[in-house]
Amino acid sequence: MAVDYTVIVVYLAGMLAMGWWGMRRARSKSEFLVAGRRLGPVMYSGTMAAIVLGGASTIGGVGLGYQYGLSGAWMVFTIGLGLLALSVFFSARIARLKVYTVSEMLDLRYGGRAGVISGVVMWAYTLMLAVTSTIAYATIFDVLFDMNRTVAIILGGSIVVAYSTLGGMWSITLTDMVQFVVKTIGVLLLLLPIAVVKAGGFSEMKAKLPTAYFDPLGIGGETIFTYVLIYTFGMLIGQDIWQRVFTARGDRTAKWGGTVAGTYCLVYALAGAVIGTAAKVIYPKLGSPDDAFATIVKDELPVGVRGLVLAAALAAVMSTSSGALIACATVANNDIWSRLRGAVRRTDDTRDEVTGNRVFILIMGIGVIGTAIALNNVVEALTVAYNLLVGGLLVPILGGLLWKRGTVQGALASVIVGGLAVIGLMAGYGILANEPVYYGLLASLVVYVAVSLATKPTDAAVLATWRERLAGRNPELVSEPVPAHQ
């Protein structure tokens, strides 16, 4: 294992070095939070693919393949579909807004007063996403070093917090690009063919497994529909995803770079399902489907290759964790703290802004590590996060982009009713039930339309400013927190 250990240690040291390098570039709020809005197509595509394909997509995707066969690809497949939809239909308009958070977009569109409430919902989502990604370190370090769960979470989490705090989005972009390359080599080019060969090839896999394992819809229509609601729509509105869109240097980069990343996700989804199916042939009686990835890596890969593939899994977890962490800190600082204290308008490029956001990343990072140590059920935490995101924020965000009659009262009512409905229904039906997101989303939509039609239309001046920003005709204007009294 010495060679494998060396691969992992070099990889982790490289992440910290890139954090230090990124610190030298992050000299303004724009550089720190959105990499100066200067990423070209190659870096944009790589980093976007890296953030959406995390531990759940890698370890969890292989686990679903082990349990359901090729139809286990649907979870990650719907993530790719969401990223494609975002890139083709919305990303150019989102990038032209020149904001930092989803809540700032809502304030621009509706004329203020939506920021704090929507910010709290988005903060809860990004926090839980960061926590669940951080917990995944325990699985990987246990395979590598037989390490205690708490120590593994602290080690992995501390590295991510360190490079994210040092260089912000520049550090995260650089590390994500490396993680994208490592992930592609480790999972697609090495683990996938080796797993299929070890299982005896596709003919042997078909001979040893039930036909349901090769049914594209074998996982069930209701499950696929739920994945679409949670993950496809979640990709359209998540702060962690939007913050990457904000890094694009232009409309074409956001649109076509995101399209490439979404297509990559579709390929990655199928690869994970095939690896899991091969693992089912090799290890038909594993205790848990989520053990499939670690088991096949540990037992079937040669020395050195095993270290690289485990580094790929670590890369998948780190990219999602760092992206969720900076999103969580950005929302906490810009959408909640600044608004609650009635922050006055500041210039965009001050060192104080960078320092403040750096402090929030550190604080949120410590909180994420502590929560990850205390939390046991990853699936439930992630389900709560996505249910709140989709049930509370999908309708007012897409409504604001697509329906000019939507009002701030309708948006606020939609966030509150949708969020409370999801929480109440999860308490009644159970956290993992499908009904909470179904009915919560429906309640949010009904309330949004009804309240918007019953209230005064959005002020014409607000809509005019909104249209100017959507058209990219006001690039120098950057949205700032709205004082509490407004």
Side-chain angles (χ1 to χ4, degrees):
M1 292 290 288
V3 176
D4 296 328
Y5 292 162
T6 302
V7 171
I8 299 296
V9 170
V10 169
Y11 169 76
L12 293 176
M15 296 301 99
L16 290 174
M18 288 183 184
W20 184 262
W21 187 89
M23 181 177 67
R24 301 173 61 186
R25 299 200 62 168
R27 299 180 182 278
S28 71
K29 180 180 178 180
S30 176
E31 295 281 354
F32 191 81
L33 293 182
V34 290
R37 308 186 195 273
R38 288 191 287 150
L39 296 193
V42 174
M43 290 196 74
Y44 180 85
S45 298
T47 58
M48 182 63 88
I51 188 177
V52 300
L53 296 173
S57 299
T58 304
I59 299 170
V62 171
L64 286 171
Y66 183 89
Q67 189 172 3
Y68 297 105
L70 297 186
S71 67
W74 272 105
M75 183 187 77
V76 183
F77 202 83
T78 55
I79 290 173
L81 292 178
L83 187 51
L84 284 171
L86 174 71
S87 301
V88 172
F89 298 112
F90 300 109
S91 63
R93 283 186 285 175
I94 291 170
R96 286 196 293 264
L97 290 174
K98 303 296 183 186
V99 296
Y100 292 107
T101 68
V102 174
S103 294
E104 288 181 23
M105 167 264 168
L106 291 173
D107 275 351
L108 268 175
R109 166 59 182 81
Y110 295 111
R113 294 182 294 172
V116 173
I117 294 176
S118 61
V120 169
V121 175
M122 189 63 77
W123 175 80
Y125 156 73
T126 53
L127 178 70
M128 283 297 100
L129 185 61
V131 166
T132 53
S133 300
T134 303
I135 291 173
Y137 297 130
T139 301
I140 299 169
F141 283 117
D142 178 56
V143 175
L144 278 171
F145 308 116
D146 193 23
M147 187 178 290
N148 174 271
R149 177 182 184 273
T150 299
V151 175
I153 289 172
I154 293 173
L155 175 60
S158 296
I159 292 171
V160 169
V161 172
Y163 73 68
S164 300
T165 302
L166 285 172
M169 187 59 82
W170 268 122
S171 294
I172 292 171
T173 296
L174 293 170
T175 54
D176 277 1
M177 198 63 202
V178 173
Q179 288 158 359
F180 170 74
V181 173
V182 171
K183 198 183 307 183
T184 301
I185 295 172
V187 175
L188 297 185
L189 302 184
L190 292 176
L191 182 57
L192 175 60
I194 290 173
V196 172
V197 169
K198 292 286 186 178
F202 285 104
S203 58
E204 188 71 12
M205 291 162 63
K206 287 185 176 180
K208 289 188 175 181
L209 294 174
T211 56
Y213 267 72
F214 302 92
D215 179 0
L217 304 178
I219 199 171
E222 184 178 354
T223 299
I224 294 171
F225 180 67
T226 302
Y227 284 159
V228 170
L229 277 185
I230 292 178
Y231 297 113
T232 300
F233 286 125
M235 288 297 106
L236 296 180
I237 59 175
Q239 169 68 25
D240 52 323
I241 309 302
W242 277 41
Q243 200 156 341
R244 293 310 172 96
V245 174
F246 301 151
T247 66
R249 72 182 178 198
D251 295 0
R252 289 178 61 83
T253 297
K255 183 176 182 178
W256 297 112
T259 301
V260 170
T263 305
Y264 178 90
C265 292
L266 304 184
V267 175
Y268 200 87
L270 185 59
V274 171
I275 293 167
T277 305
K280 183 67 175 179
V281 174
I282 304 170
Y283 311 101
K285 295 182 179 179
L286 288 178
S288 168
D290 285 341
D291 294 336
F293 179 88
T295 303
I296 196 169
V297 169
K298 192 173 185 179
D299 295 348
E300 302 298 334
L301 298 187
V303 172
V305 172
R306 178 171 50 208
L308 184 59
V309 173
L310 286 172
L314 198 58
V317 175
M318 281 186 158
S319 57
T320 300
S321 181
S322 59
L325 176 59
I326 193 171
C328 177
T330 303
V331 171
N333 187 17
N334 290 267
D335 293 338
I336 301 175
W337 173 245
S338 293
R339 296 167 192 264
L340 289 178
R341 67 188 178 90
V344 298
R345 183 181 179 86
R346 295 182 180 183
T347 58
D348 179 51
D349 295 330
T350 63
R351 290 184 180 274
D352 286 345
E353 291 276 6
V354 175
T355 301
N357 282 288
R358 185 171 279 140
V359 168
F360 265 86
I361 290 180
L362 181 59
I363 294 171
M364 292 297 110
I366 294 171
V368 164
I369 293 172
T371 306
I373 292 171
L375 198 63
N376 287 318
N377 198 315
V378 180
V379 176
E380 288 191 356
L382 197 59
T383 301
V384 170
Y386 271 101
N387 282 353
L388 279 173
L389 177 71
V390 174
L393 291 179
L394 177 68
V395 170
I397 291 172
L398 293 189
L401 289 168
L402 301 173
W403 190 42
K404 67 179 182 179
R405 185 61 180 82
T407 66
V408 66
Q409 294 88 349
L412 286 171
S414 179
V415 173
I416 295 170
V417 171
L420 292 178
V422 163
I423 293 171
L425 290 164
M426 283 192 294
Y429 285 99
I431 289 176
L432 299 180
N434 293 327
E435 288 82 0
V437 72
Y438 294 167
Y439 300 140
L441 188 56
L442 180 61
S444 179
L445 176 61
V446 170
V447 168
Y448 177 73
V449 173
V451 174
S452 291
L453 291 175
T455 52
K456 184 180 178 181
T458 304
D459 186 84
V462 172
L463 287 178
T465 301
W466 167 252
R467 285 191 291 268
E468 288 289 308
R469 293 287 286 274
L470 275 181
R473 288 193 285 266
N474 236 344
E476 76 283 358
L477 182 61
V478 177
S479 177
E480 293 294 333
V482 177
H485 66 271
Q486 291 186 12

